């Protein structure tokens, strides 16, 4: 068999039982994933975890969900969940995986063959790193109001506008952009999905410093940026359909109980050092949080089983994101309270025999109710589509 796109998959992973596959994946991550990269207090930059991902790429483990013919692992839905859960269990930081998780599935589904041949191999080899250019200063939840424009001139689109909250744009070589290509159409119908090389003249990336002093997001300014018409994906004015198709798997991923479970571990470490573990009031509050996390695990298991059977998730999956993120926020706030005087110290603080970054879970938890569709929007979905309440 010839592989046009990347590393050949020598193994049919789906022939293994789920238990065998889990054991294999767990062993790989437990043994080889560098300790210093586990449970990082912030989103890591590409330079920090590049070596690890190049190792995964060389092994052919970089694209678990892609079909084998494109160089992916071709995992079945249940194996895919295992491949998400095991790395998470050992605190694997998310890498700039936008190319793997977002661009490639779009190109595989909507792209032209020439686009797949051009863009998939460097994503698999971790040579080209992508960022997501959707949100704008006045178009977040209401994304269809976006104002970045693209007009066709000869063989190129000329793009003008501004994107914001673009995660790790300063590490990206490429960005996929939603831009308005028909100002007169209904707002969802006049949008196109374009691929842009970040080195193109007119692209300016300005990092945004967050409250913790990290620069994870950027503003991206597009000033007369030329991108070849061949970089239009899915057809002119069809960008909204393409963009919507990306939302599916994200919803269950954000609802995983791993972050709250990690929060509980930190909470118990802090409580131990503060001598709180025997305090009956503390124990009562801890037990409530533990029950909420256990309940989340049950709900996650319910939705994971649906995904594992290869069935589509209904709108009720919104409850998972709300439950996971808000439970994590409550745990993060209790960590600060339990740490007492140290609760407002930035960075790792010595606490008894441990050194603990008290604020790290808080900084992770705060934005989780915003990204991936804010929790208010998820509540609207539940109200309208599950409970049939008037809009
Ligand atoms: C960690 C993180 C990473 C991100 N990475 C990216 C990225 O890489 N690329 C990208 O394009 N974007 C990214 N974003 C942006 C993200 O998609 C937006 O923040 C999100 O869509 C919300 O938009 P907004 O910030 O403009 O808030 P707004 O939409 O202005 O919302 C403000 C508040 O109003 C509420 N609200 C809005 N509409 C309604 C409504 N109809 N009913 C009830 N309440 C409502 C919201 O819930 C929120 O509380 C990221 C955001 C975060 C936090």
């Amino acid at each position: 068999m010839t592989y046009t796109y990347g590393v050949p998959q020598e193994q049919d992973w789906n022939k293994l039982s789920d238990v065998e596959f889990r054991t294999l994946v767990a062993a790989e991550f437990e043994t080889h994933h560098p300790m210093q990269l586990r449970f990082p207090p912030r989103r890591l930059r590409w330079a920090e975890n590049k070596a690890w991902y190049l190792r995964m790429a060389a092994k052919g483990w970089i694209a678990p969900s892609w079909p084998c013919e494109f160089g992916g692992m071709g995992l079945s839905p249940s194996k895919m969940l295992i491949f998400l859960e095991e790395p998470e269990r050992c605190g694997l930081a998310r890498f700039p995986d936008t190319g793997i998780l977002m661009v490639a599935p779009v190109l595989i589904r909507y792209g032209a063959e020439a686009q797949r041949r051009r863009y998939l191999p460097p994503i698999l080899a971790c040579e080209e790193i992508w960022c997501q250019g959707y949100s704008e200063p006045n178009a977040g939840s209401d994304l269809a109001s976006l104002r970045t424009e693209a007009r066709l001139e000869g063989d190129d689109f000329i793009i003008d506008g501004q994107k914001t909250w673009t995660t790790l744009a300063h590490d990206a070589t490429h960005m996929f952009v939603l831009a308005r290509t028909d100002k007169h159409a209904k707002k969802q119908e006049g949008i196109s999905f374009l691929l842009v090389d970040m080195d193109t003249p007119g692209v300016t990336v300005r990092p945004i410093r967050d409250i913790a002093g990290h620069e994870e997001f950027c503003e991206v300014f597009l000033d007369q940026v030329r991108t070849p018409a061949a970089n239009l994906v899915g057809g002119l004015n069809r960008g909204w359909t393409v963009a919507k198709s990306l939302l599916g798997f994200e919803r269950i991923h954000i609802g995983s109980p791993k972050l709250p479970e990690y929060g509980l571990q930190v909470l118990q470490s802090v409580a131990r050092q503060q001598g709180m573990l025997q305090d009956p009031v503390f124990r009562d509050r801890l037990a409530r949080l533990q029950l909420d996390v256990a309940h989340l695990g049950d709900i996650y298991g319910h939705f994971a089983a649906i995904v594992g059977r290869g069935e589509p998730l209904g709108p009720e999956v919104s409850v998972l994101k709300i439950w996971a993120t808000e439970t994590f926020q409550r745990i993060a706030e209790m960590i600060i309270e339990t740490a007492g005087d140290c609760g407002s110290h930035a960075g790792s603080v010595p606490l008894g025999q441990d050194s603990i970054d008290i604020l790290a879970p808080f900084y992770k938890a705060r934005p989780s109710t915003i990204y991936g569709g804010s929790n208010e929007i998820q509540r609207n979905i539940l109200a309208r589509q599950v409970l049939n309440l008037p809009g």
Side-chain angles (χ1 to χ4, degrees):
M1 195 186 286
T2 55
Y3 287 88
T4 317
Y5 298 95
V7 181
Q9 290 293 324
E10 277 149 20
Q11 169 115 29
D12 181 353
W13 304 105
N14 296 323
K15 281 198 177 141
L16 299 177
S17 72
D18 281 0
V19 174
E20 287 168 331
F21 184 67
R22 191 181 285 282
T23 308
L24 184 101
V25 174
E28 169 69 23
F29 284 94
E30 269 162 23
T31 316
H32 297 294
H33 183 235
M35 278 296 172
Q36 72 276 13
L37 297 185
R38 298 188 182 193
F39 294 109
R42 58 179 169 79
R43 191 81 185 256
L44 296 178
R45 299 290 301 273
W46 177 232
E48 294 170 287
N49 54 23
K50 181 177 176 180
W52 165 254
Y53 283 101
L54 287 178
R55 183 180 191 281
M56 297 297 279
K59 218 175 142 53
W61 277 29
I62 202 78
S65 62
W66 300 13
C68 295
E69 73 249 42
F70 297 110
M73 293 172 82
L75 297 185
S76 65
S78 66
K79 299 259 179 335
M80 185 61 217
L81 278 175
I82 294 170
F83 202 87
L84 282 177
E85 287 165 1
E86 287 308 314
E88 266 188 349
R89 211 167 46 78
C90 54
L92 185 85
R94 269 188 76 182
F95 86 122
D97 50 8
T98 308
I100 302 282
L101 288 183
M102 297 187 165
V103 181
V106 158
L107 292 181
I108 289 170
R109 181 157 174 201
Y110 297 99
E113 182 56 17
Q115 292 172 334
R116 288 195 277 268
R117 283 175 187 261
R118 160 64 187 86
Y119 289 111
L120 296 188
I123 292 177
L124 270 179
C126 296
E127 285 164 1
E128 292 182 351
I129 303 296
W130 287 77
C131 62
Q132 179 190 24
Y134 277 15
S135 305
E136 298 184 5
N138 289 308
S141 303
D142 183 16
L143 184 59
S145 295
L146 59 88
R147 285 187 300 183
T148 292
E149 280 180 27
R151 67 193 150 78
L152 197 54
E153 196 179 284
D155 291 337
D156 294 332
F157 281 98
I158 315 285
I159 310 175
D160 278 293
Q162 183 194 344
K163 297 293 172 180
T164 193
W165 310 123
T166 321
T167 302
L168 297 179
H170 37 2
D171 285 345
T173 58
H174 291 76
M175 174 165 71
F176 56 98
V177 172
L178 285 182
R180 189 159 300 288
T181 37
D182 183 349
K183 284 197 271 190
H184 306 293
K186 258 174 59 185
K187 58 183 186 177
Q188 281 87 352
E189 287 167 12
I191 292 172
S192 296
F193 189 103
L194 293 163
L195 310 178
V196 174
D197 185 328
M198 298 293 274
D199 277 340
T200 314
V203 177
T204 306
V205 177
R206 193 186 294 162
I208 301 171
R209 180 158 294 204
D210 65 24
I211 192 172
H214 305 139
E215 292 180 347
E216 179 179 318
F217 312 108
C218 300
E219 294 175 289
V220 181
F221 298 88
L222 303 152
D223 182 14
Q224 301 268 305
V225 172
R226 261 178 198 273
T227 197
N231 280 349
L232 170 71
V233 181
L236 193 64
N237 299 325
R238 301 261 303 134
W240 193 248
T241 308
V242 179
K244 270 197 313 190
S245 75
L246 285 175
L247 296 174
F249 214 74
E250 197 179 41
R251 291 186 293 178
I252 187 153
H253 190 47
I254 299 176
S256 152
K258 298 299 167 201
L259 277 177
E261 281 168 1
Y262 144 78
L264 279 180
Q265 280 174 25
V266 178
L267 176 58
Q268 286 172 93
S269 301
V270 173
R272 192 172 305 113
Q273 297 304 337
Q274 297 289 81
M276 298 284 285
L277 280 180
Q278 304 312 320
D279 180 278
V281 175
F282 176 85
R283 284 167 67 98
D284 180 56
R285 293 176 68 194
L286 175 64
R288 281 167 198 256
L289 290 171
Q290 285 170 323
L291 285 172
D292 282 348
V293 176
H295 191 180
L296 170 67
D298 283 347
I299 306 175
Y300 175 79
H302 165 77
F303 288 111
I306 296 176
V307 172
R309 291 195 298 272
E311 295 168 12
L313 290 166
E316 63 279 8
V317 72
S318 290
V319 80
L320 190 62
K321 196 221 162 189
I322 296 171
W323 194 284
T325 54
E326 294 180 13
T327 303
F328 186 31
Q329 285 187 347
R330 282 189 289 123
I331 294 170
E333 282 161 20
M334 194 159 155
I335 292 171
I336 294 176
E337 194 184 321
T338 308
D341 290 351
C342 302
S344 59
H345 292 194
S348 286
V349 289
L351 211 58
Q353 291 154 359
D354 281 348
S355 174
I356 302 177
D357 192 330
I358 305 292
L359 290 174
F362 182 77
Y363 290 142
K364 269 185 205 285
R366 268 345 280 173
S368 67
T369 48
I370 300 171
Y371 59 67
S374 77
N375 284 22
E376 288 79 10
I377 297 296
Q378 304 302 324
R379 285 186 162 86
N380 286 349
I381 292 172
L382 289 175
R384 290 187 194 130
Q385 297 181 37
V386 180
L387 303 173
N388 289 322
L389 297 174

